[in-house]
């Protein structure tokens, strides 16, 4: 049972909060009240939130992420969300506090809902994403040998698209040292900005060539001269080059 309620001060008309607050404001006030209530007791049970934010502006979204990470100092906190922006805010808040964060992807499979697995490719760090893509190339190679080019091309097209996404993340996370991230408002320069000085023209040319190459597979192809999808060995070679570049760049 709840033994408290929220009221509006200087409320001469006696209006209820539900009559005044917007959907987003009502949700954030409810979340704050819930956290204040349960954290007032000596209880370390797990908190589970299912998309705790909706209809909120950027300030409230980032504030909610910081509050949930702060709560995880004393208990396990599980957050379900389909919003990559919230995931980015949670990752930033956890990094600022030096707290561990584990990302798990949930997918709908033919045999059931909510099957745990890897995070979606746009949410994976470049190191993990490259390894995931190398595994997909091996599977696609087996499909090519067993079923031929037509079925292989279907899988190769997806690998090419995910490779381009991974290149974008490689530029954000590694080349630009995580100074700027999509979905993240602050530009973080502390202990990071000086790392940009190690970027060379060769680095830029290497990534630019790969970005150009894998961008062409995202566009519609002319009927007279379509761009053929790369063979497994070519995909494997490019991914291994990306992996080697990242490892060398990290050691500079």
């Amino acid at each position: 049972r709840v033994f408290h309620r929220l009221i509006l001060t200087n409320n001469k008309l006696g209006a209820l909060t539900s009559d005044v607050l917007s959907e987003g404001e009502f949700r954030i006030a409810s979340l704050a009240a819930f956290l204040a209530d349960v954290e007032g007791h000596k209880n370390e049970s797990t908190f589970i939130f299912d998309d705790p934010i909706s209809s909120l502006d950027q300030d409230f979204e980032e504030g909610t992420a910081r509050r949930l990470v702060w709560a995880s100092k004393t208990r396990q906190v599980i957050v379900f969300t389909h919003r990559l922006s919230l995931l980015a805010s949670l990752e930033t808040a956890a990094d600022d506090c030096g707290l561990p964060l584990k990302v798990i992807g949930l997918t709908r499979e033919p045999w059931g809902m909510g099957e745990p697995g890897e995070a979606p490719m746009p949410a994976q760090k470049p190191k993990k994403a490259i390894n995931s893509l190398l595994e997909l190339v091996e599977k696609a190679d087996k499909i090519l040998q067993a079923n031929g080019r037509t079925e292989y091309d279907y899988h190769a097209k997806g690998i090419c698209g995910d490779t381009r996404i991974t290149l974008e993340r490689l530029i954000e996370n590694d080349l630009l040292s995580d100074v700027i991230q999509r979905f993240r408002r602050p530009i973080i320069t502390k202990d990071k900005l000086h790392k940009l000085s190690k970027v060379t023209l060769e680095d830029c040319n290497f990534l630019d060539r790969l970005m150009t190459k894998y961008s062409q597979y995202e566009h519609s192809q002319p009927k007279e001269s379509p761009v053929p999808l790369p063979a497994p060995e070519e995909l494997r070679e490019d991914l291994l080059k990306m992996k080697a570049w990242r490892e060398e760049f990290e050691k500079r």
Side-chain angles (χ1 to χ4, degrees), residues 40 79 114-115 131 152 163 165 182:
V79 180
E115 291 295 318
N131 289 331
Y152 164 78
T163 298
I165 291 173
R182 69 189 79 188

Side-chain angles (χ1 to χ4, degrees), residues 62 65-66 69 84-99 101 125 178 181-188 192:
E62 292 172 356
R66 289 192 298 269
V69 168
L84 290 179
S85 59
L86 176 59
L87 176 59
S89 295
L90 288 168
E91 289 178 325
T92 300
D95 187 57
D96 290 342
C97 294
L99 293 172
L101 178 144
K125 299 294 185 183
D178 194 39
Q181 280 280 1
R182 69 189 79 188
F183 305 126
R184 190 182 71 196
R185 181 162 49 174
I187 297 175
I188 301 175
K192 294 182 182 236

